[in-house]
Amino acid sequence: MTTFEAAAAAAARRGMTPRLRDWKAPIFLGAVAILAVILLIVFGRSGTSTFSFASRRTDVFSLPNLSIPVQELGLVAAATAVAMAAGSTLYVRARRKVPTWYIAVFSVVLLVAFLAWASAGHTIPLTGLLAGALALSVPLIFGAMGGVISERAGVINVAIEGQLLSGAFVSAVVASATRSAIAGLLAAMIAGVLVSFVLAAFAIKYFVDQVIVGIVLNGLVLGLTNFLYQTSLSQDAGTLNSPTQLPTIAIPGLSAVPVIGPVLFNQTIIVYLMYIAVAAVSFGLFFTRWGLRLRSVGEHPQAADTVGINVNGTRFWNVSLAGAVAGLGGAYFTLGSVGAFTEDVTSGAGYIALAAVIFGGWSPLRATLAALLFGFANELQSVLGIIGSPVPSDLLLMLPYLVTIVAVAGLVGQSRGPAASGKPYFKS
Amino acid sequence: MSLESGGPTVAETGAEEDDSLELDQIEATQRAEQPDEDGPRWSRALHDITGGSTIITVLAVVASLIVGAILIALTNPQVQAALGYFFARPSATFAAIGQVVGGAYSSLFQGGVYDFSQVSFVDGIQPLFTSLGFATPLIAAGLGIGIGFRAGVFNIGAQGQILVAGALAGWIGYTLPLPPGLHLIVAILGALLGGAVYAGIAGVLKASTGAHEVIVTIMLNYVAYYGLSFLLSNVLKAPGSNNPISPAEASSAVLPSLFGSPRALNLGLVIVIVLTVIAWWFMTRSSLGFRFRAVGENPKAALTAGISVKRTVIYTMLVSGAFVGFAGAYQVLAQTTTGFTNALDAGIGFNAITVALLGRNKPWGIFWAGILFGIFQAGGYTMQATQGIDVDIVQVLQSIIVLFIAAPPLVRALFRLPAPNSLRRARRVRHTTAPEEAIAR
């Protein structure tokens, strides 16, 4: 328990107010519950919705389809939502924070009810939905890891978009020219590092504002890749833009588990690298010397300098590392999913990854979850579009951005970045 | 406000150039003490010129044109062919490079400034009018973003604000049955209001919850884009159209052209000049503008001086959004009057950021920067049409210019210019493009 918490607990025992009552969460949950009542009951739909768990692969054993009566589920879910919103006021009255699991349960209940509502009379291919969501999340997660590393080291990384895009472009060209997808992967990392070098040089050596360098770098990479695509790649697509695709590798045993197996363990090497990256960053950041040094230069560079850590050197190499990670994510666009480079193939994924970093409170695991949420919402939109649901796709596409705004505005607690993030360090 | 009379020094340290102005004073006092240290007067004058920000801007443009020339030359098939026998006949390579790069930049100039193939001056200057047409929304949005930067607020949401403002102006323009002059005024005011309110969301969230405006405005861009896409697929869609496009604007709401020239030069340019004057007056002469700059320079000091930082942040976003809003109105009421789509912003949201940076967040600097980028844009299209060089090169040039502008020491190193002097170099450490405090939150 930190000293502050101890003091707060002591204050609470003496009957003082350790913390103001924060009504943000109940208000938000209440508003969502009202929306749920309107959508699920007032505009309730009848019929049954079927959740299918089958996948294209032959499973060892398969789960039966799950049929849900939409109207009844809607009633139950809306009632649960209202009850939970009311229940959250108890936490606030007790001057406690509404716990994250509470909000998570609330969201999952409404999500299932919404899925059933939107697909009334149709079948939702759950495995396909989850697989598609993961596919859309992969570059976001890589980008978010790049963002976490860089920002924890004290350099705001708005250039994730540029790192992804350069990775996508270079990996497509190199994989096409060398006929080797692995060479493409390595080249993508190098491309991301190069973008990072520019970011680091301007931010650390020339003290230029980091947000501005990031934005301008994104524009530079976009202009450059568009120009080279138009002048070279589209002229000679055969040798420059037909990258060798990475093969999918099924992990024996695990890939046969229903639903999870085909979604998580029958993937290309980039996805497995992503698991490793998330695990490595989560562990490394908090349990290794590297992570301690990285966080120290991001939180209190003066203190880090005092104990002999080279602040700007540490920042420079970690921003470069962040570029390599984000570059890998870019390679997924051309070697893993789309298959060839097209203009602006990332289309803003880097900015969403940046949002995931902040949404996830600069924590690798939570940033990954946030990225998965974005991927899921995006995939849900296209699945619902295919099965012909009444929800306008544009509004569904808008949803993750609205959720991010709500999250950043403080529902998930005050978002607090590394203390020295964005501030250049002047050794005195 | 009593502060203004009491704190002129704070007022003058509002931006980076004022910062160097202050440094010049320090230098001047030093020179007075040691008069002949720098040698003869002309050498000192030369020293001052090469140390100034104008020369940095010019050199940044030159450097970007050099990078652009390299790119154009390397991707050109003739140059590539000539490079194949470079050692046998190097002159062929240089001739090819000269031809390609010369052709590219001359068409850039002829498409952006003056077309020498025309006989009469009026026809020859037509490209410049087109450039001014492209420059108009860039200047308006750049002014808004620049005001934000000066107040320490990063308004990255110009795209969303342009979409909202443009849609509102467009909707007023094709629905309301108003008499000619009034219709235009109402449509433009609607756009200013729309931009201000949409930007204000980010301001209110930052002031009330501390949400970082960079993230919020980026997210609001997407919200505006998808929101407009949704509306264009039903409410705003032109009757009988299969595409998500709005009905055409009523002629009474279209910005009238100047001198009877066919649409290239219109009233929008005049309005944007007025907006530039207003922005200049606002930031340097008004008490609210003074508060903006005080908060941008040092929020803590501003708070101590009795300025409500939170309220100032909200006002900043409102003012910034209103300026950006005019860009939206211009896009709908002058550029594409046949109905707007969800792409009505035409990339102005991003380019205006670079315009604001190139103009060093000063109204007149932004004005000229906007015209330069307008010339690049108009010339870029001509270059693409006549020389077959992809117009995306323009974005590369613009980005490189801004990168160089942001790092004067880099430009000096590239062109072997002397550092202004050791004193200034020491102070350069705090020389960031936008107030440092802005990023901290």
Side-chain angles (χ1 to χ4, degrees), chain A residues 109-205:
Chain A
V109 167
L110 284 186
L111 183 67
V112 172
F114 173 76
L115 269 181
W117 178 86
S119 63
H122 298 278
T123 302
I124 280 215
L126 207 59
T127 311
L129 177 65
L130 292 178
L134 183 71
L136 289 175
S137 307
V138 171
L140 301 182
I141 293 173
F142 273 116
M145 289 307 107
V148 168
I149 295 172
S150 176
E151 302 211 0
R152 284 277 185 173
V155 177
I156 294 179
N157 192 357
V158 185
I160 300 172
E161 172 78 4
Q163 292 159 346
L164 286 175
L165 193 56
S166 63
F169 179 84
V170 173
S171 67
V173 173
V174 171
S176 309
T178 62
R179 299 270 151 230
S180 156
I182 300 298
L185 274 186
L186 290 175
M189 292 172 76
I190 294 169
V193 170
L194 288 179
V195 176
S196 272
F197 276 170
V198 183
L199 172 69
F202 276 81
I204 298 170
K205 185 162 164 43

Side-chain angles (χ1 to χ4, degrees), chain A residues 247-275:
Chain A
T248 50
I249 306 165
I251 295 195
L254 286 175
S255 63
V257 179
V259 187
I260 302 175
V263 173
L264 294 181
F265 300 109
N266 184 29
Q267 294 283 3
T268 59
I269 190 166
I270 304 187
V271 179
Y272 298 124
L273 282 176
M274 180 194 84
Y275 301 152

Side-chain angles (χ1 to χ4, degrees), chain A residues 4 49 79 108 115 128 154 167 186 201 239 260 271 279 302 306 382 393 396 421:
Chain A
F4 172 72
S49 165
V108 169
L115 269 181
L186 290 175
T239 52
I260 302 175
V271 179
Q302 284 82 3
T306 312
S382 61
S393 65
L396 257 181
S421 188

Side-chain angles (χ1 to χ4, degrees), chain B residues 4 147 150-151 279 281-295 312:
Chain B
E4 265 181 287
I147 288 174
R150 289 288 288 274
W281 177 86
F282 179 79
M283 289 311 279
T284 55
R285 297 290 183 273
S286 76
S287 95
L288 189 59
F290 170 78
R291 267 182 273 171
F292 281 18
R293 285 184 291 137
V295 169
T312 309

Side-chain angles (χ1 to χ4, degrees), chain B residues 382-414:
Chain B
T382 311
M383 194 163 73
Q384 174 162 318
T386 60
Q387 308 288 312
I389 293 164
D390 189 62
V391 71
D392 289 304
I393 191 82
V394 167
Q395 191 171 0
V396 178
L397 295 182
Q398 291 177 350
S399 307
I400 291 176
I401 292 176
V402 174
L403 274 183
F404 279 136
I405 296 274
L410 180 64
V411 178
R412 284 206 200 89
L414 274 179

Side-chain angles (χ1 to χ4, degrees), chain B residues 195-228:
Chain B
V197 168
Y198 202 64
I201 296 174
V204 169
L205 285 179
K206 184 182 170 94
S208 61
T209 68
H212 200 307
E213 77 277 13
V214 170
I215 296 303
V216 174
T217 49
I218 290 174
M219 295 300 117
L220 283 175
N221 285 345
Y222 288 101
V223 172
Y225 177 79
Y226 290 118
L228 184 58

